[in-house]
Amino acid sequence: MERPLTKHIKPGSPPLNLKDYLQEGGYNGMHKAFKEMKPAEVTSLVKASNLLGRGGAGFPTGVKWSLVPMDDESAKPKYLVCNADEMEPGTFKDRYLLEGNPHQLIAGMIITAYAIQAEKAYIFIRWAYKKAEAELRKAINEAYEAGYLGKNILGSGFDLDLYVHSSAGRYICGEETALLNSLEGKRGIPRTKPPFPAISGLFGKPTVVNNVETLSCIPHIVENGADWFKSLSLTGTGGTKLFGVSGRVKKPGVWELPLGITVRELLEEYAGGMADGYKFRGALPGGVSTDFLTEKHLDVKMDFSTVAAAGSRMGTGTMIIFDDKTCPVAFIHNIEKFFALESCGWCTPCREGLPWVEKILSSIEEGTGKMEYLDVLKFHTKYLGPGNTFCAHAPGAAEPLQSGLNYFYEDFVRHIDEKKCPWR
Amino acid sequence: MLTEEEKKEILEEVKQYPYPAVACIDALKIVQHHRGWVSDESVKDIAQILEISNEEVDGVATFYSRIYRKPIGRNVILICDSVSCMIMGYGSIYEYISKKLGIAFGETTSDGRFTLLPISCLGDCDHAPAIMINDDHYNNLTVGKVEELLASYN
Ligand SMILES: Cc1cc2nc3c(=O)[nH]c(=O)nc-3n(C[C@H](O)[C@H](O)[C@H](O)COP(=O)(O)O)c2cc1C
Ligand code: SF4
Ligand code: FES
């Protein structure tokens, strides 16, 4: 099984430095792009590879790049931003790539910047990822020294400067337009779309925002081609994916596997099955802003369209396992409290609705809930849902709530009937 | 008053941006790095140097969770209270620390040694429960390990 993204990552040891990475063929993709390809050809290749964004929404990467104006002098400078904010609870995949192979990301960013002709690039990294930030800065310095960054890269006439910006906290800064406001030194509040960042982004200029894992795929696609990339997945979707499992399993962890592997394989073969004494009741397949999957979904294939067809979302691909010894009301309450706290406060359903949801869940958990509260929760899943708010934060919060109410309804009712939490 | 060093560092950041206000978060971080937190007076000083209003700076300062607008202890303990750590029992870690130090979330010990704060997911979910003390991550925690850890911070 090929594992291009993690081949050179050895947990516990430092990442390869530039010299060693070059010996392993690192930066081949970058050299190939500069020598053999025009910017538009890189974009077409990425489109053909069917790479879907790994930040959670699964938007086709090549399509995003092709929205960037290419021959408009007034649209300069253009920017590339790597989203390394990774704050989705239950998610720990970008950290693995950042700490394990920063040069792979840098190579991907150079190629991407070349494709869209951006002259400045930023890595927006979460403040808590201190080790990753240190490794990145080290690798960026090496890349400058080698002439891969800076002026006239490899004699191509193309210039690129790459900066690291460490965040100041807040989940919402991972939303791409909030991230841009934050990079501009403002409160991290999402912007209206359209215009999309590809047209008007950082400082009002065309900007592509891509996730760490997305950008890390680029050098391999350029080096080995679109058909090779598609053949990596089991379902033709394109590529491998970093999958993770946390919760009460025997071996929690993160692995690079083909897209299209089943939930069961991930849980049983890679995570070693449930820990002794615990039973599987459900899973959030890709962080807390995805709908529950349950026992009947164990054979669902983990790729974007198949997980969506099963009523959830692939999200970040890092799965949180929900077991029989954890109270579902407490589990969902914890998640909604997170969303209520992290709301940027811009729009009413999210700012007012989420704290209300949180209070209701708290009262049900404490045994003081009433049956009509369940209708209030259902009402909220509708008005927090898509189309009623400025960004996808509130719809994300609605997903575990609506699916939780659906699959674990009886457990909610038991709290109300018994006037206490049956798990305590 | 900002020190000469703080001013110099802030102006260094300003240089790389199209206009000074872009350096707002950097400036807050610089002041916090030197003083541990950001006072009302520092907010005014930053506003002046960046040529924006005090309210704008305060709006930014209060938006971000890692900018402190109140004094903090010498060491900051951040306990992850997100869902994977909840499943794996962050509750017992919190109870131990809180009892041992005699403080709840949001409080500082009277000797100024520790401030205790909740934090959302630290990206250590496969080794939950996890905490950070200052810049360091600690994971796969047990009460025993936490006891040793606390003793190593002064
Ligand atoms: C509330 C919220 C938080 C987000 N956080 C992140 C994040 O931490 N990292 C990330 O890559 N994308 C995050 N996203 C998705 C981004 O908005 C954006 O879709 C993504 O960075 C695009 O990259 P991709 O096309 O490579 O997936 C978040 C979205 C929302 C609504
Ligand atoms: S949905 Fe929530 S986080 Fe998004 S813009 Fe509205 S208030 Fe802010
Ligand atoms: S949930 Fe605690 S580290 Fe992720």
Side-chain angles (χ1 to χ4, degrees), chain A residues 95 126 128 166 170 186-187, chain B residues 29 59 63-64 121 124 137:
Chain A
R95 182 175 174 189
R126 189 178 178 194
S166 150
R170 290 310 288 273
K186 302 176 188 154
R187 289 165 72 91
Chain B
K29 281 187 175 171
F63 186 84
Y64 294 98
C121 181
D124 280 316
H137 290 248

Side-chain angles (χ1 to χ4, degrees), chain A residues 172 190 342-347 350-351 389-395:
Chain A
I172 193 61
E342 295 293 344
S343 163
C344 85
W346 194 248
C347 37
C350 182
R351 179 186 63 241
T389 57
F390 221 54
C391 87
H393 181 89

Side-chain angles (χ1 to χ4, degrees), chain A residues 87-92 95 126-130 163 166-170 172-173 182-189 203 245-248 252-253 288 320-321 323 326 330-331 334-335 338 342 344, chain B residues 16-19 21-26 29 56 58-67 78 81-84 86-90 119-127 132 134-137 139:
Chain A
M87 269 187 76
E88 179 80 16
T91 304
F92 43 95
R95 182 175 174 189
R126 189 178 178 194
W127 63 274
Y129 286 2
K130 306 280 180 192
Y163 306 96
S166 150
S167 82
R170 290 310 288 273
I172 193 61
C173 294
S182 189
L183 263 184
E184 291 182 10
K186 302 176 188 154
R187 289 165 72 91
I189 289 170
F203 303 117
V245 178
S246 68
R248 293 283 180 189
V288 292
I320 306 161
I321 304 295
D323 63 78
T326 301
F331 185 95
N334 176 287
I335 291 170
F338 164 82
E342 295 293 344
C344 85
Chain B
Q16 55 163 315
Y17 298 125
Y19 50 95
V22 182
C24 190
I25 299 170
D26 305 290
K29 281 187 175 171
E56 271 173 281
D58 201 29
V60 173
T62 52
F63 186 84
Y64 294 98
S65 54
R66 298 274 65 74
I67 300 295
L78 300 165
D81 66 353
S82 288
V83 72
S84 302
M86 180 198 105
I87 300 172
M88 302 304 284
Y90 91 82
I119 186 80
S120 44
C121 181
L122 288 169
D124 280 316
C125 331
D126 51 344
H127 303 287
M132 264 179 101
N134 303 334
D135 283 353
D136 294 309
H137 290 248
N139 52 41

Side-chain angles (χ1 to χ4, degrees), chain A residues 18 27 30 103 106-107 110 119-123 136-154 158-164, chain B residues 16:
Chain A
L18 183 59
Y27 286 93
M30 180 195 75
H103 276 298
I106 295 168
I110 296 170
E119 54 194 81
K120 280 202 165 104
Y122 291 89
I123 300 174
L136 262 177
R137 290 189 190 277
K138 223 191 293 174
I140 289 172
N141 285 341
E142 287 183 315
Y144 266 105
E145 275 165 30
Y148 297 169
L149 287 170
K151 292 256 173 264
N152 191 15
I153 297 172
L154 300 173
F158 176 69
D159 307 335
L160 179 68
D161 277 313
L162 175 56
Y163 306 96
V164 177
Chain B
Q16 55 163 315

Side-chain angles (χ1 to χ4, degrees), chain A residues 292-314:
Chain A
F292 279 97
L293 295 176
T294 60
E295 193 124 33
K296 68 175 182 210
H297 300 115
L298 281 172
D299 293 311
V300 166
K301 293 186 167 82
M302 290 289 281
D303 83 2
F304 293 88
S305 51
T306 322
V307 180
S312 185
R313 285 190 316 118
M314 176 90 147

Side-chain angles (χ1 to χ4, degrees), chain A residues 20-304:
Chain A
D20 294 342
Y21 192 46
L22 287 175
Q23 239 156 33
E24 297 291 337
Y27 286 93
N28 280 358
M30 180 195 75
H31 283 282
K32 183 171 170 192
F34 279 121
K35 240 186 259 148
E36 298 171 20
M37 299 171 83
K38 296 206 175 71
E41 287 171 341
V42 179
T43 301
S44 305
L45 175 68
V46 171
K47 241 191 213 169
S49 78
N50 200 23
L51 170 63
L52 303 178
R54 308 298 199 225
F59 191 81
T61 305
V63 174
K64 187 186 277 188
W65 297 1
S66 63
L67 300 175
V68 174
M70 290 307 288
D71 296 315
D72 182 355
E73 281 301 312
S74 68
K76 285 180 177 175
K78 293 185 264 187
Y79 297 97
L80 169 66
V81 177
C82 168
N83 192 341
D85 197 40
E86 191 160 79
M87 269 187 76
E88 179 80 16
T91 304
F92 43 95
K93 62 166 186 88
D94 294 338
R95 182 175 174 189
Y96 191 75
L97 293 173
L98 290 161
E99 288 181 3
N101 197 348
H103 276 298
Q104 173 171 262
L105 172 63
I106 295 168
M109 289 187 74
I110 296 170
I111 298 168
T112 305
Y114 173 71
I116 61 165
Q117 293 286 297
E119 54 194 81
K120 280 202 165 104
Y122 291 89
I123 300 174
F124 187 96
I125 188 171
R126 189 178 178 194
W127 63 274
Y129 286 2
K130 306 280 180 192
K131 190 171 159 206
E133 187 184 336
E135 294 297 351
L136 262 177
R137 290 189 190 277
K138 223 191 293 174
I140 289 172
N141 285 341
E142 287 183 315
Y144 266 105
E145 275 165 30
Y148 297 169
L149 287 170
K151 292 256 173 264
N152 191 15
I153 297 172
L154 300 173
S156 63
F158 176 69
D159 307 335
L160 179 68
D161 277 313
L162 175 56
Y163 306 96
V164 177
H165 175 98
S166 150
S167 82
R170 290 310 288 273
Y171 171 68
I172 193 61
C173 294
E175 198 281 335
E176 58 185 6
T177 59
L179 186 154
L180 296 175
N181 276 335
S182 189
L183 263 184
E184 291 182 10
K186 302 176 188 154
R187 289 165 72 91
I189 289 170
R191 300 175 178 175
T192 1
K193 290 192 253 186
F196 289 93
I199 308 295
S200 173
L202 194 61
F203 303 117
K205 298 294 181 186
T207 305
V208 161
V209 182
N210 272 136
N211 171 260
V212 173
E213 188 183 349
T214 311
L215 291 165
S216 297
C217 292
I218 302 298
H220 305 290
I221 293 172
V222 171
E223 188 177 351
N224 302 307
D227 289 336
W228 167 84
F229 191 72
K230 276 196 262 189
S231 76
L232 291 177
S233 69
L234 302 174
T235 44
T237 310
T240 55
K241 170 92 194 70
L242 263 68
F243 290 108
V245 178
S246 68
R248 293 283 180 189
V249 293
K250 286 205 180 76
K251 292 184 295 180
V254 54
W255 312 273
E256 181 183 7
L257 297 165
L259 274 167
I261 185 163
T262 64
V263 176
R264 188 190 303 279
E265 283 169 286
L266 254 177
L267 177 64
E268 285 168 11
E269 283 174 39
Y270 293 92
M274 295 302 290
D276 292 335
Y278 293 86
K279 283 205 192 79
F280 176 88
R281 285 200 76 196
L284 299 177
V288 292
S289 45
T290 58
D291 293 85
F292 279 97
L293 295 176
T294 60
E295 193 124 33
K296 68 175 182 210
H297 300 115
L298 281 172
D299 293 311
V300 166
K301 293 186 167 82
M302 290 289 281
D303 83 2
F304 293 88

